[in-house]
Amino acid sequence: MDLYSKIEELRRRGESFALATVVSRQAPVSSHLGDKALVFEDGRFEGYVGGACSREIVRKQALEVLRLGKPRLVKITPEAAAKVVLEHADQVVIPMTCASEGAVDVYIEPLVGKACLLVVGGSQIALTTAQIAARMNYRVTLACDMPELAGVSLESDIQVLDWRDLEGWLPHQNPAKTSIVVASQGHYDEDVLALIARWMPQPAYLGLVASRKRGAAVLDNLEILGVPKTALPGLKYPAGLDLGGRGRDEVAISILAEIILYKSGKAWPDSAGVAKEKIPVNDQTSSQPLPSSPQNDPTVLREIQQVASIAAEISAVTSTPAAYPTPLPPGMAIDPTSGEVLEIARAVSAEYQGQTYYFSCPNCRAKFLKNPDKYLKGKA
C-alpha cells in the first residue's frame, strides 16, 4: 500500500498519527526533498526522513506534535549555535550530532483522528448530546430503542444502534479513545452498564445522567444482577461539570465539557456535578390564589366521600393481579411485581429458576430479584 492510500485508510479508521515531510536539505544527508514518514501515538515509525540520528529526533518531535495537536518545523543542523527553542514553538532547532554535518528541515503535522463518543438513550439529553458532538471532532454512535427515534431528525454522521447490539460493538472499540454517556434515564441504564462492565469497564470517560441518589440505586441494582460496584471504577454521576446549567442544551454542553476536561488531563475546581433530573414542584410562593378549602362545603365533601368509596372498590378489585386472558397475546407478558401487561420487546427481563420474567423497568426487576417469593407466592 502506498503512503497516500495508507493515510486515507488511517483517517477512515479514525486513528491519530503525525506526517513528517522533508522540506529542506543541505548535503551531505541521506534524505531527499519530499521524503515522508508516519509516526504513530505508540512511537511506531513508517517511512524515511533520514538516518538514525534524524529518525529519533523526528520521532520524539512527532510525539510532541501529537500531544499538543499543533504542527511544527524541526530544523536539524550542525551549527554550533543550534539549540532547542521554546517547547511549544512552531519552529524547533536541534543540533545535529551525526558526523556527516549535513542539515535537514522536517515539517511535522498532526493528523488527529476523531475520538469515539457513545451516547446511550433516546432521552432529550441523549439526543442533544449526540447532535452537538456530531458537529465537533467526534465519531458519534447513538444506542437506543429504535422506536424512541420516531420522528427524530439526526445529523447524517451519527451511527445508530439498538442498545442490545452493544455487546457486539464495544469489543471492537479502543477504550482509550472512547467516551460513553449513558442517558436512557431509567429505561435500560443497568442493562447497558452491565454490558460496559463486561466489554469496556474503563473507557476514556463514562458518565451516567442521573442524580446522586438514582446513580447509587443503579449501582445497587447492578450488584443484584451480579455486577459489583468496583467493575466500573470510573463511573461519574451525575455526568457533566457543575456549570449551573439548566435545560437539555446546557446539560449536554456540561457533559461534553467534562469529556474535554478528561481528555486534557486537567483538574476542575469542583467536579462534583449537578443533579440532572429535576422533578418540577409547585411554587409555594406563587402569587396565584390557592383553591378555597373544602372543609365547610357540603357538596365538595360529598364528592370527596364518593371518590373515596369508588377508590376503595377499585382497590379491593385490584388488590391481586388482574386475571388476563390465557394465553396472553403473542409478544406480551405480565410484570410479576405490578400485574401490568407488557410488550416483551420493550421490557427488561431476568431469569429465575429456569424461567424468564419481564418487568416494566430495572427497579421492578431489582425488587423482584431481591425477594422473588414475595411476588410469586400463590401463583402457578
Side-chain angles (χ1 to χ4, degrees):
M1 182 183 294
D2 66 83
L3 182 71
Y4 294 103
S5 297
K6 177 79 170 181
I7 291 174
E8 182 180 354
E9 173 65 14
L10 291 170
R11 299 300 296 271
R12 187 188 65 79
R13 284 159 39 190
E15 293 194 28
S16 298
F17 58 97
L19 175 63
T21 305
V22 176
V23 295
S24 178
R25 66 185 292 275
Q26 178 181 330
V29 290
S30 58
S31 59
H32 297 83
L33 288 176
D35 282 350
K36 291 177 169 56
L38 304 178
V39 183
F40 298 88
E41 291 179 299
D42 59 3
R44 285 181 295 122
F45 197 104
E46 294 184 13
Y48 187 83
V49 289
C53 295
S54 297
R55 179 187 178 96
E56 292 310 309
I57 290 172
V58 169
R59 187 202 308 274
K60 180 179 178 180
Q61 292 298 316
L63 293 175
E64 184 71 4
V65 163
L66 282 171
R67 186 180 72 83
L68 298 174
K70 294 175 58 178
R72 67 173 48 169
L73 179 65
V74 179
K75 302 176 73 70
I76 305 171
T77 174
E79 295 179 9
K83 62 180 179 179
V84 178
V85 296
L86 294 176
E87 180 185 359
H88 298 275
D90 293 336
Q91 178 175 304
V92 176
V93 182
I94 298 176
M96 169 70 81
T97 57
C98 293
S100 67
E101 297 189 349
V104 62
D105 293 355
V106 181
Y107 180 70
I108 306 175
E109 57 183 316
L111 296 171
V112 180
K114 289 186 176 183
C116 176
L117 174 63
L118 170 63
V119 181
V120 178
S123 66
Q124 291 299 311
I125 291 176
L127 296 176
T128 303
T129 302
Q131 294 280 61
I132 295 174
R135 300 190 179 191
M136 301 167 63
N137 196 37
Y138 291 97
R139 289 186 297 114
V140 180
T141 297
L142 178 66
C144 60
D145 262 330
M146 293 305 177
E148 294 178 295
L149 299 182
V152 175
S153 178
L154 295 173
E155 295 286 330
S156 59
D157 291 341
I158 297 177
Q159 178 189 14
V160 178
L161 294 175
D162 187 294
W163 68 265
R164 300 165 188 82
D165 295 332
L166 287 174
E167 189 168 12
W169 184 88
L170 286 167
H172 299 288
Q173 310 306 312
N174 180 355
K177 290 187 172 295
T178 302
S179 297
I180 304 176
V181 178
V182 180
S184 80
Q185 296 186 286
H187 291 289
Y188 35 87
D189 291 341
E190 286 90 342
D191 298 272
V192 169
L193 287 170
L195 290 175
I196 293 170
R198 180 179 180 184
W199 297 108
M200 191 184 289
Q202 296 190 57
Y205 172 86
L206 177 58
L208 173 64
V209 178
S211 65
R212 292 183 180 88
K213 182 177 180 179
R214 196 174 75 80
V218 167
L219 290 178
D220 289 341
N221 291 343
L222 281 171
E223 284 201 314
I224 294 173
L225 296 175
V227 181
K229 294 178 181 179
T230 54
L232 296 167
L235 179 63
K236 169 71 167 53
Y237 63 91
L241 296 177
D242 186 1
L243 302 179
R246 295 176 181 271
R248 64 185 186 187
D249 291 349
E250 293 181 349
V251 170
I253 289 170
S254 76
I255 293 171
L256 293 170
E258 186 167 62
I259 291 173
I260 293 170
L261 192 71
Y262 271 58
K263 184 169 63 175
S264 71
K266 296 181 180 179
W268 181 253
D270 179 13
S271 60
V274 294
K276 302 297 187 300
E277 297 177 20
K278 297 184 180 295
I279 301 175
V281 296
N282 293 328
D283 185 355
Q284 300 301 321
T285 63
S286 172
S287 60
Q288 296 295 325
L290 294 173
S292 59
S293 171
Q295 293 177 351
N296 299 319
D297 188 331
T299 302
V300 173
L301 285 172
R302 281 196 301 271
E303 292 177 353
I304 292 174
Q305 290 170 352
Q306 184 180 14
V307 170
S309 175
I310 295 172
E313 292 177 7
I314 294 174
S315 177
V317 172
T318 60
S319 59
T320 57
Y324 294 101
T326 303
L328 288 170
M332 306 298 287
I334 298 175
D335 183 334
T337 66
S338 65
E340 179 184 355
V341 176
L342 307 170
E343 184 182 351
I344 289 176
R346 304 192 67 178
V348 295
S349 64
E351 297 286 334
Y352 178 68
Q353 294 185 344
Q355 184 172 342
T356 302
Y357 295 90
Y358 297 92
F359 308 88
S360 59
C361 68
N363 282 332
C364 291
R365 177 177 59 188
K367 288 192 300 183
F368 173 84
L369 292 175
K370 283 182 179 179
N371 189 1
D373 291 340
K374 174 182 176 181
Y375 301 101
L376 299 179
K377 185 177 180 181
K379 298 181 182 179

